């Protein structure tokens, strides 16, 4: 009897091992989605999946999901190292996120929280007026957002953000946003903060445009932003804002126009160079933060060039 039990256990263990090995082998380094795909498929180029959520379970860690043709590929939660690329040409990766978040980056329940690196490229993420946030980054190491369009996130009131970085652990997290358009959100185009004790987060925004949100970017608790060659246009309240407990912002070649506050500084030290702040109600609103300039900025056409403090020298006003 004991021999029979031992044999049965050995067979069961072998079967379990074979199933796990088969599942691991089924994960490909590159998978594909198509508007006419099916999630029961293996997500190969000749048998693509229908959704990003279906493909990600069949994509190996550090792998890539690509789009074969135009389509809406659904919302997705990312818990591992992955690249999702809408591609160019025939492919076009769209996510409709009505009543939810478009992309969630959250590895908190994995064996190594706050360790994954995620790349999001060539995606259109649409909230359709009821989406919560286009990209929500709550746990991970690094997120890259390149050549994306994010719009229509209004379904979570003042928290309807284009990109919401809301971290609660300290691991030197970063987000890089390049060549991206964010528009038409009830909250911030970009909201960045880390509420962990001793936490921090760095954001780099380059060659991007944020418009028609409540605030263009809010640099919040333990956050620092570097913003290069980007525009903040016709947001309701503030173009670039550093909120309480924010570290500061570095602005190079930034245009901010058509808001109540072009720049609003509540905390931290910010540095601005070669920027144009024009046609706002307040050029700079000083409410606790400080600014360093390099004599090459242009402030003009604002109702008040500054409130709460004088423009610091040197400033080149033209």
């Amino acid at each position: 009897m004991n021999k029979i039990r031992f044999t049965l256990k050995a067979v069961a263990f072998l079967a379990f091992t074979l199933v796990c090995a088969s599942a691991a082998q089924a994960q490909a380094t590159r998978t594909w989605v198509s508007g006419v795909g099916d999630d029961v498929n293996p997500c190969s180029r000749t048998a693509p999946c229908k959704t990003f959520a279906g493909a990600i379970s069949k994509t190996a860690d550090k792998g890539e999901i690509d789009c074969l043709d135009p389509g809406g590929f659904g919302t997705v939660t990312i818990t591992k190292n992955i690249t999702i690329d809408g591609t160019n040409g025939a492919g076009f990766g769209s996510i409709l996120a009505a009543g939810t978040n478009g992309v969630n980056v959250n590895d908190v329940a994995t064996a190594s929280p706050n360790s994954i690196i995620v790349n999001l490229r060539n995606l259109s993420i649409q909230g359709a007026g009821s989406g919560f946030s286009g990209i929500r980054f709550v746990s991970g190491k690094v997120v890259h957002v390149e050549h994306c369009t994010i719009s229509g996130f209004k379904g979570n009131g003042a928290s309807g953000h284009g990109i919401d970085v809301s971290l609660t652990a300290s691991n030197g997290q970063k987000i890089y946003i390049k060549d991206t358009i964010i528009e038409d959100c009830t909250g911030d185009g970009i909201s960045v903060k880390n509420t962990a004790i001793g936490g921090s987060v760095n954001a780099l925004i380059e060659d991007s445009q944020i418009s028609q949100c409540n605030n263009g970017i809010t640099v919040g608790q333990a956050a620092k932003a570097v913003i290069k060659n980007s525009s903040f246009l016709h947001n309701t309240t503030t173009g670039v804002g550093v909120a309480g407990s924010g570290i500061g912002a570095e602005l190079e070649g930034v245009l901010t126009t058509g808001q109540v506050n072009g720049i609003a500084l509540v905390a931290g030290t910010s540095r601005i160079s070669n920027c144009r702040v024009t046609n706002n109600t307040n050029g700079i609103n000083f409410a606790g933060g400080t600014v360093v300039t390099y004599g090459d900025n242009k402030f003009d056409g604002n109702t008040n060039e500054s409130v709460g403090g004088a423009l610091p020298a040197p400033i080149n006003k033209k």
Side-chain angles (χ1 to χ4, degrees):
M1 182 65 69
N2 288 336
K3 289 183 178 180
I4 293 173
R5 284 187 186 140
F6 177 79
T7 302
L8 289 174
K9 286 181 180 178
V11 170
F13 177 77
L14 178 60
F16 177 76
T17 302
L18 290 173
V19 167
C20 291
S22 176
Q25 290 173 357
Q27 289 193 326
T29 302
R30 185 186 301 275
T31 57
W32 301 85
V33 293
S34 167
V36 292
D38 193 317
D39 283 348
V40 301
N41 290 338
C43 304
S44 64
R45 196 177 189 284
T46 55
C49 284
K50 176 72 172 177
T51 68
F52 289 139
I56 199 168
S57 64
K58 299 173 184 178
T59 309
D61 185 59
K62 300 182 178 67
E64 180 170 328
I65 303 170
D66 292 320
C67 300
L68 274 174
D69 50 44
F73 301 113
T75 63
V76 61
T77 294
I78 298 173
T79 59
K80 59 185 172 183
N81 299 285
I82 201 81
T83 294
I84 299 179
D85 195 336
T87 70
N88 292 305
F92 177 78
S94 177
I95 295 173
L96 178 61
T100 187
N101 298 310
V103 177
N104 291 290
V105 179
N106 187 356
D107 68 352
V108 69
T110 66
S112 301
N114 294 291
S115 66
I116 64 172
I117 298 175
V118 174
N119 300 290
L120 304 171
R121 301 185 189 129
N122 303 305
L123 299 173
S124 173
I125 307 174
Q126 173 59 249
S130 63
F132 292 170
S133 289
I135 298 170
R136 191 155 193 264
F137 176 21
V138 297
S139 178
K141 180 72 171 180
V142 179
V143 174
H144 297 265
V145 181
E146 301 176 39
H147 315 301
C148 292
T149 300
I150 302 168
S151 64
F153 286 89
K154 301 182 177 182
N156 208 23
S159 298
H161 304 314
I163 297 177
D164 181 12
V165 180
S166 187
L167 301 165
T168 58
S170 178
N171 197 27
Q173 293 97 326
K174 300 175 180 66
I175 183 164
Y176 300 93
I177 302 163
K178 183 174 182 179
D179 192 22
T180 289
I181 295 172
I182 303 172
E183 59 191 7
D184 196 25
C185 301
T186 53
D188 301 332
I190 304 169
S191 175
V192 186
K193 65 179 181 294
N194 189 334
T195 58
I197 296 174
S200 66
V201 57
N202 287 277
L204 171 63
I205 299 97
E206 187 173 8
D207 299 324
S208 296
Q209 177 181 301
I210 297 90
S211 64
Q212 295 180 306
C213 299
N214 183 34
N215 301 298
I217 180 171
T218 298
V219 183
Q221 181 173 335
K224 181 176 182 179
V226 176
I227 308 171
K228 298 178 62 179
N229 303 325
S230 296
S231 300
F232 297 83
L233 311 172
H234 304 288
N235 297 289
T236 303
T237 304
T238 296
V240 177
V242 179
S245 301
I247 297 170
E250 309 283 334
L251 311 184
E252 169 71 31
V254 169
L255 169 66
T256 174
T257 186
Q259 289 108 178
V260 174
N261 303 303
I263 300 170
L265 305 176
V266 175
T269 298
S270 298
R271 296 170 178 84
I272 61 174
S273 177
N274 196 30
C275 296
R276 180 180 288 275
V277 181
T278 182
N279 293 322
N280 304 284
T281 303
N282 305 311
I284 298 184
N285 188 336
F286 293 98
T290 60
V291 64
V292 177
T293 69
Y294 299 96
D296 55 359
N297 301 291
K298 299 174 177 65
F299 283 70
D300 192 28
N302 303 293
T303 305
N304 307 297
E305 303 295 10
S306 68
V307 293
L311 292 177
I315 273 196
N316 179 21
K317 180 181 174 182
K318 293 183 179 179

